[in-house]
Amino acid sequence: MEQMTAKTEKKNGEGVKLDTLKITDSRTGKQYEIPIQDDTVKAIDLRQIKVNSDDFGLMTYDPAFMNTASCKSKITFIDGDKGILLYRGYPIEQLAEKRSYLEVAYLILNGELPEKKQLTEWTEHVRMHTFVHENVKRLMEGFRYDAHPMGIFVSTLAALSTFYPEAKNVLDADTRQKQIWRLIGKVPTIAAFAYRHSLGMPYVYPDNDLSYSENFLSMMFRVAELKYKPNPVLAKALDVLFILHADHEQNCSANTMRSIGSSQADPYCAAAGAAAALYGPLHGGANEAVLRMLDEIASKDKVPAFIKDVKEGKGRLMGFGHRIYKNYDPRATIIKKMADEVFEVMGKNPKLEIALELERIALQDDYFVKRKLYPNVDFYSGLIYQAMKFPVDMFPVLFAIGRMSGWLAQWQEMLTDPEQKIARPRQVYLGYQRRNL
Ligand code: ACO
């Protein structure tokens, strides 16, 4: 498939003049011609626009990066209006149906799907890194019995930095690769230990005879069985959920990973920051918030009153709306279909009825239609997680396990991009000018 940047490169190669933007500064009457490349102008090209030689030059003002590309990327493509999501060019629907999470993680990180031998090696490397140092376990034991597992997860990721001091050699490709194996291998273990801690149950060590998702289920739910055999429908569903969450281009947590990584901090500290960003209810914490919202609504007949409150600004319909998708989130479509298979094994989640009614009413209500608010990935994922017996507190942690591959791919792409530097936005200062005491 043709790469997205080919159009501009070809134009350059053939010596065709690049498109430009002509600007007239009404303050001075001066005219400027700014190159347009890949449908963007470089913000730094505006700096030449000055009122006089003392002037700092024009900047763009873009709180929350609503219209600013912070990087060039070849990892994930989203067309929010059409509801399209591609990892390295492959549609999410095809990957979810035909590939495993570890294959998709390899694809995201390396650009191509693994050949058979590459997959065997990759799986082996990840498997070899599923265990954590006993001191990591002891560190986790120090948290309060009721600590939120996401808080434990974030802190433990950061603590890994102290176990692997060589990880700070972020410009060395081999060192980076080793930390990638370690992080992808260890996150299910840390996540499961965080859960077992909250129950006061002994931690279950990894079982490396199992697949990535099966092993995670074993570490979560094994009690006294000699060999835990996860239900294949549930293991597959979890694997698909990891695939759906693997990457989502420059979202809040990926941007955090890149931003921390840009200072050349080690990937454990950067991933801890990314996970912290994910924790918020407007990002990865939304699936937890959806379940709490459904609990609060409690029954189908209370849905109209809840929608009315949302429209009056008394809270949000969690799991609805997205900065990029202005159409049905393709991940939500896959999850909605998969929910039936999980419910068949585990029994229907009684909250499904409320969720379906919320969706039915919202999708025909002017407020939501006008604002293009559709269900996002988190609207149904929580219902599946709950049916699979994951406690609500664990939802953002599950999201983080799948997203680790995306964070690492974004981090690696940033470090190897010669155009990147330490991330450091500008500000528009509106405070006092210098004043004396
Ligand atoms: N319920 C009700 N109204 C909403 C919702 C919602 N879920 N989302 C957006 N709106 C309204 C806003 O009030 C605003 O209305 P206005 O124009 O009258 O002021 C308009 O829609 C635009 O909303 P913004 O907040 O400007 O949109 P933004 O792109 O900044 O926010 C976000 C996107 C944060 C996802 C938002 O839709 C939201 O809060 N959704 C609920 C939380 C959620 O589900 N987050 C998960 C996102 S997916 C993910 O991270 C995996």
Side-chain angles (χ1 to χ4, degrees):
M1 192 191 158
E2 206 186 350
Q3 302 265 333
M4 297 291 179
T5 49
K7 191 178 78 181
T8 321
E9 281 162 6
K10 209 161 115 204
K11 263 188 170 182
N12 284 337
E14 287 166 5
V16 177
K17 202 168 176 290
L18 286 180
D19 294 330
T20 57
L21 179 71
K22 285 201 173 121
I23 299 173
T24 306
D25 186 346
S26 66
R27 299 170 302 175
T28 58
K30 275 199 198 155
Q31 291 205 324
Y32 302 84
E33 199 168 346
I34 310 268
I36 299 176
Q37 205 174 6
D38 301 319
D39 296 328
T40 56
V41 291
K42 283 192 178 155
I44 198 74
D45 284 345
L46 301 178
R47 188 73 72 75
Q48 59 184 300
I49 303 177
K50 297 181 178 194
V51 176
N52 54 51
S53 57
D54 290 341
D55 187 0
F56 180 77
L58 205 63
M59 292 193 296
T60 54
Y61 173 60
D62 190 11
F65 304 124
M66 297 287 285
N67 196 39
T68 294
S70 64
C71 62
K72 293 175 180 165
S73 182
K74 294 185 173 176
I75 304 171
T76 293
F77 173 77
I78 303 173
D79 184 330
D81 290 331
K82 297 197 182 116
I84 292 172
L85 170 60
L86 312 175
Y87 292 159
R88 302 280 188 184
Y90 294 110
I92 188 71
E93 295 81 2
Q94 293 178 19
L95 291 169
E97 195 190 326
K98 297 187 176 141
R99 299 295 179 150
S100 70
Y101 170 69
L102 279 188
E103 284 174 286
V104 172
Y106 183 98
L107 167 74
I108 286 177
L109 279 153
N110 299 290
E112 296 296 340
L113 282 161
E115 306 279 348
K116 205 166 166 227
K117 183 165 168 276
Q118 289 168 322
L119 180 61
T120 309
E121 282 171 11
W122 164 243
T123 307
E124 200 42 41
H125 280 305
V126 170
R127 225 178 241 162
M128 266 174 57
H129 289 95
T130 49
F131 279 74
V132 292
H133 193 290
E134 281 296 291
N135 283 358
V136 172
K137 199 182 95 181
R138 274 183 221 119
L139 176 103
M140 295 180 77
E141 281 165 354
F143 284 95
R144 267 180 64 124
Y145 71 97
D146 59 351
H148 194 292
M150 196 62 177
I152 301 181
F153 184 80
V154 169
S155 315
T156 309
L157 279 182
L160 287 183
S161 145
T162 64
F163 289 81
Y164 307 110
E166 79 275 16
K168 64 172 164 298
N169 298 325
V170 294
L171 300 181
D172 180 69
D174 292 342
T175 309
R176 278 202 306 271
Q177 182 58 66
K178 188 148 193 194
Q179 315 321 311
I180 288 171
W181 294 327
R182 280 185 175 138
L183 271 163
I184 295 194
K186 287 182 202 320
V187 281
T189 313
I190 294 169
F193 282 13
Y195 166 68
R196 306 283 291 205
H197 179 79
S198 67
L199 297 183
M201 286 181 74
Y203 302 168
V204 175
Y205 287 109
D207 177 346
N208 287 342
D209 292 338
L210 299 174
S211 75
Y212 193 77
S213 308
E214 287 173 337
N215 173 46
F216 178 57
L217 287 170
S218 164
M219 290 188 292
M220 284 289 296
F221 299 123
R222 183 167 159 191
V223 184
E225 307 90 325
L226 276 181
K227 186 91 187 159
Y228 183 83
K229 279 226 167 308
N231 183 301
V233 175
L234 303 189
K236 172 69 188 158
L238 189 60
D239 210 61
V240 170
L241 284 158
F242 288 157
I243 292 174
L244 299 185
H245 286 95
D247 193 52
H248 214 229
E249 52 117 309
Q250 305 313 311
N251 55 82
C252 179
S253 56
N255 182 54
T256 307
M257 183 86 190
R258 279 179 176 262
S259 190
I260 298 178
S262 77
S263 75
Q264 299 186 0
D266 71 67
Y268 302 103
C269 290
L278 186 76
Y279 192 4
L282 298 189
H283 190 10
N287 48 20
E288 187 176 344
V290 169
L291 261 282
R292 300 204 192 285
M293 172 188 77
L294 294 176
D295 276 339
E296 193 190 311
I297 298 173
S299 66
K300 196 174 150 186
D301 56 303
K302 303 227 175 76
V303 167
F306 180 81
I307 295 271
K308 185 168 166 280
D309 283 352
V310 168
K311 285 161 59 178
E312 285 169 4
K314 299 179 197 150
R316 289 201 160 188
L317 175 49
M318 299 313 286
F320 257 66
H322 199 276
R323 173 62 59 81
I324 306 286
Y325 292 119
K326 301 301 168 198
N327 199 324
Y328 217 96
D329 181 338
R331 301 168 300 172
T333 316
I334 299 169
I335 290 186
K336 203 175 164 187
K337 270 196 225 140
M338 207 172 63
D340 291 334
E341 291 164 31
V342 172
F343 294 153
E344 209 158 286
V345 176
M346 303 300 285
K348 205 162 236 172
N349 189 326
K351 295 188 193 91
L352 177 67
E353 230 195 359
I354 305 172
L356 288 170
E357 183 66 359
L358 273 173
E359 182 185 335
R360 190 187 67 77
I361 296 185
L363 288 184
Q364 47 184 283
D365 189 298
D366 232 29
Y367 175 94
F368 296 90
V369 174
K370 238 175 48 203
R371 290 170 177 78
K372 299 191 175 160
L373 300 170
Y374 292 88
N376 60 48
V377 66
D378 286 325
F379 193 65
Y380 287 106
S381 63
L383 290 171
I384 301 189
Y385 291 145
Q386 197 168 53
M388 291 169 79
K389 307 281 181 239
F390 287 108
V392 174
D393 280 359
M394 276 298 284
F395 295 178
V397 183
L398 295 167
F399 190 154
I401 296 174
R403 184 54 61 87
M404 185 54 72
S405 50
W407 288 335
L408 290 166
Q410 299 286 346
W411 168 72
Q412 175 132 275
E413 192 177 61
M414 178 274 304
L415 284 171
T416 51
D417 179 348
E419 290 189 3
Q420 288 294 336
K421 287 169 181 278
I422 185 167
R424 207 301 187 186
R426 291 276 173 182
Q427 64 169 3
V428 179
Y429 179 69
L430 297 176
Y432 290 109
Q433 294 301 321
R434 182 196 165 102
R435 54 179 175 163
N436 296 318
L437 284 172

